[in-house]
Amino acid sequence: MTSADQPDVHVIDEVDTEFVDMIKRIGGPNIQSCYQCGTCSGSCPAGARTNYLVRGIIRKALLGLKEDVISSQELWYCTTCYTCTDRCPQDVQPTEVIKAIRNVAVAEGYMLEPHQKVAAKVIEAGHAVPLDKESWQKLREKVGLEPVPPNASGNPWAIEEIRKITSKSGFDKLIGYEEFMRAEEEKKKEQEKKG
Amino acid sequence: MAKNPKFYHFLGCVIPHRYPSVEKATNLVFEDLGMELLDLVGATCCPAPGVFGSFERVTWATVAARNLTLAEAGGHPITTGCNGCFASLWDSNHELKHDEELRKAVNNNLAEIGREFKGTIEVTHYVDALYDYAGVEAIKKRVTRPFEGVRMALHPGCHWMRPKLIKKKDDSERPHIFKEVCEASGAEYVPYKDELICCGAGGAVRTADVKVSLDFTMQKFESIIDAGGADIIVTPCPFCELQLDLGQVEIQKYFEKEFHFDVMHVTELLALAFGHEPEEFGLATHLQYMQRKNQPNWERLGIEVHKPEDVVASE
């Protein structure tokens, strides 16, 4: 994440005229209906405590300030609660616009490491929150359930299917899965060495 | 109501792997109400809508659609107790039925594993199964331990009912369905100002910056206290439950503020109201109790509290 490198001054003639079309194509088709009323930001619980400003992001996106928008840290403070979407008088669906902009950010290499890790978990274990310790199995037994549930945790063939479809869609390369797993392996070895 | 409705039980990640008491309570409650739950063998992560939907929409929809094809093969609707899982499965089912281009891209990916999205099944949340299939009257009839005088704050969460123009289920500014299901337990609904704000965990925010996400949670807790406090907080989502339950431990760590709320999933509340004891579904395994070594305040519900046995569990 390189938001620290953001320029203080926006050079507004460096516009990306393709950006709006990208957003519309990926999943924010109504972005151009925005008339900047600010209902979204006024409803936003993330904006109430961080510098995340939905209206501002949409305005910048419409101006074609792509690099500025996709590199900003605050883009990742939206909890996707959809309050703005339910209140927007223009049906801009700001939540979908934000998700589409995040898609562009990830495609251009702006992905937080913890997010990379969650994405890798799904390819590795079939689950973003996996059954990765014996203590979780014990917790299941304690409530009177089988230690391993019938989902992907007990069915390696399901994980294999996820690997095939994420490889086909290019998602594994997008998140840098192999490099990430290699780095994790290195870290593990380092820790073992330290004892 | 259809006779003995059958659902594929989509477990997701948080229920089976972190809050298994919800899974067990759901089994008890659905059986008590004559609704059958079938294993959805080989289901994966939904995958988390605000997380994977934010990374790459087509892969999000492909992994979700793969889960849908498992249910399509058996021909029964899905039910899930997680707002996030519900959003991924319901939204992708909806989008794939209406977006020809997305469907083509998804089926092209699914062809790699010999699957195809057909769009033949419906996706429900436990709350829908309870409200639409069992019905509030049937739930009330089954209650043997009514929680009269118990103060209950609700956290409906977001993705079960939003976006309202697409989901067309409840008024997201004045929702009543989840409230009616919870009130069937006999508990007293406590309105509070911030009932409808997000728990703070969604959209990959908990992963990106846990302190920001906990700041949402604290606002909710403070709002409940301002409304006179509550004996329990009830939610229809295990990820919200994790944020509200384990979140209290994290808030203590990061902000040195101490809250003591007992948090339950709606099926855990109903299991108790139906006369099941907390030990029958392991209610004391909630991560707050396991990690803080504190005692639940269930005396306020008229339930005797036994000291939970130690199980080593850590995040």
Side-chain angles (χ1 to χ4, degrees), chain A residues 5 11 26 30 48 100 131 150 152 167 175-176:
Chain A
D5 305 326
V11 183
I26 294 168
N30 302 352
L131 192 73
S167 166
I175 66 154

Side-chain angles (χ1 to χ4, degrees), chain A residues 30-50:
Chain A
N30 302 352
I31 183 171
Q32 284 170 309
S33 304
C34 176
Y35 54 31
Q36 290 288 300
C37 70
T39 302
C40 50
S41 293
S43 305
C44 178
R49 66 200 75 242
T50 69

Side-chain angles (χ1 to χ4, degrees), chain A residues 25-27 45-50 73 76-83 85-87 91 93 96 98-104 106-107 111-112 114-116 118-120 122 126-133 135-136 138-140 142-145 147 149-153 155 157-162 164-166 168-171 174-175, chain B residues 11-18 20-21 23-24 27 39-45 47 49-57 59 62-63 66 70 91 101 108-110 112-113 115 158-159 161-166 172-173 197-198 200-205 207-209 212 215-216 219 279-282 285 287 290 309 311-315:
Chain A
R25 197 174 55 245
I26 294 168
R49 66 200 75 242
T50 69
Q73 176 109 33
W76 296 93
Y77 285 144
C78 167
T79 63
T80 68
C81 77
Y82 285 92
T83 309
T85 295
D86 278 6
R87 293 182 183 171
D91 194 28
Q93 302 178 0
E96 302 306 334
I98 294 301
K99 278 162 70 182
I101 293 175
R102 285 175 170 185
N103 275 220
V104 178
V106 169
M111 191 175 195
L112 294 169
H115 288 156
Q116 202 183 3
V118 173
V122 171
H127 291 279
V129 182
L131 192 73
D132 53 357
K133 285 182 197 166
S135 57
W136 301 126
K138 283 195 177 143
L139 205 64
R140 290 183 54 80
K142 193 171 163 53
V143 308
L145 292 167
N151 58 17
S153 297
N155 292 287
W157 60 268
I159 302 170
E160 197 48 47
E161 288 197 5
I162 293 297
K164 282 184 184 157
I165 55 181
T166 51
K168 168 84 176 161
S169 77
F171 187 73
L174 178 75
I175 66 154
Chain B
L11 297 170
C13 302
V14 181
I15 290 179
H17 299 160
R18 297 295 181 272
S21 52
E23 184 179 332
K24 183 70 197 235
N27 292 344
D39 285 347
L40 194 59
V41 178
T44 63
C45 185
V51 185
F52 288 79
S54 291
F55 298 161
E56 209 264 308
R57 182 171 173 243
T59 300
T62 303
V63 176
R66 179 194 163 273
L70 296 174
D91 293 0
E101 207 177 310
N108 187 36
N109 289 337
L110 287 178
E112 197 72 7
I113 52 170
R115 295 184 180 277
C158 305
H159 297 109
M161 58 184 177
R162 295 191 192 122
K164 69 176 175 188
L165 290 177
I166 311 271
S172 62
E173 302 287 352
I197 75 158
C198 170
V205 173
T207 311
D209 193 332
V212 167
D215 197 60
F216 285 65
Q219 184 184 333
E279 295 76 21
E280 261 183 271
F281 57 97
T285 61
L287 299 179
M290 306 301 302
E309 287 167 47
V311 171
V312 185
S314 58
E315 181 64 32

Side-chain angles (χ1 to χ4, degrees), chain B residues 270-291:
Chain B
L270 292 181
L272 291 175
F274 289 179
H276 297 287
E277 296 305 322
E279 295 76 21
E280 261 183 271
F281 57 97
L283 188 56
T285 61
H286 282 189
L287 299 179
Q288 168 195 181
Y289 311 131
M290 306 301 302
Q291 296 202 359

Side-chain angles (χ1 to χ4, degrees), chain A:
Chain A
M1 186 61 63
T2 57
S3 63
D5 305 326
Q6 258 188 66
D8 292 332
V9 179
H10 302 300
V11 183
I12 63 165
D13 57 359
E14 279 183 17
V15 297
D16 188 324
T17 50
E18 307 274 296
F19 191 35
V20 170
D21 288 334
M22 280 167 101
I23 294 167
K24 286 167 75 175
R25 197 174 55 245
I26 294 168
N30 302 352
I31 183 171
Q32 284 170 309
S33 304
C34 176
Y35 54 31
Q36 290 288 300
C37 70
T39 302
C40 50
S41 293
S43 305
C44 178
R49 66 200 75 242
T50 69
N51 56 356
Y52 172 69
L53 190 71
V54 196
R55 178 175 67 161
I57 291 175
I58 291 176
R59 183 72 183 133
K60 284 184 188 172
L62 287 169
L63 287 170
L65 299 170
K66 182 173 128 193
E67 198 55 31
D68 192 356
V69 169
I70 64 172
S71 66
S72 72
Q73 176 109 33
E74 58 266 25
L75 182 62
W76 296 93
Y77 285 144
C78 167
T79 63
T80 68
C81 77
Y82 285 92
T83 309
C84 57
T85 295
D86 278 6
R87 293 182 183 171
C88 174
Q90 287 290 91
D91 194 28
V92 168
Q93 302 178 0
T95 317
E96 302 306 334
V97 170
I98 294 301
K99 278 162 70 182
I101 293 175
R102 285 175 170 185
N103 275 220
V104 178
V106 169
E108 308 241 343
Y110 293 104
M111 191 175 195
L112 294 169
E113 199 187 316
H115 288 156
Q116 202 183 3
K117 196 169 177 175
V118 173
K121 285 276 176 217
V122 171
I123 303 178
E124 186 195 358
H127 291 279
V129 182
L131 192 73
D132 53 357
K133 285 182 197 166
E134 211 190 321
S135 57
W136 301 126
Q137 298 192 20
K138 283 195 177 143
L139 205 64
R140 290 183 54 80
E141 286 180 315
K142 193 171 163 53
V143 308
L145 292 167
E146 293 293 317
V148 180
N151 58 17
S153 297
N155 292 287
W157 60 268
I159 302 170
E160 197 48 47
E161 288 197 5
I162 293 297
R163 291 205 179 141
K164 282 184 184 157
I165 55 181
T166 51
S167 166
K168 168 84 176 161
S169 77
F171 187 73
D172 55 354
K173 285 199 181 66
L174 178 75
I175 66 154
Y177 178 68
E178 274 176 30
E179 297 86 332
F180 182 82
M181 294 306 282
R182 260 203 302 277
E184 287 291 290
E185 198 60 35
E186 289 295 314
K187 266 190 224 165
K188 223 180 188 176
K189 275 184 199 158
E190 281 294 308
Q191 273 170 355
E192 274 164 17
K193 257 189 218 165
K194 282 179 193 163

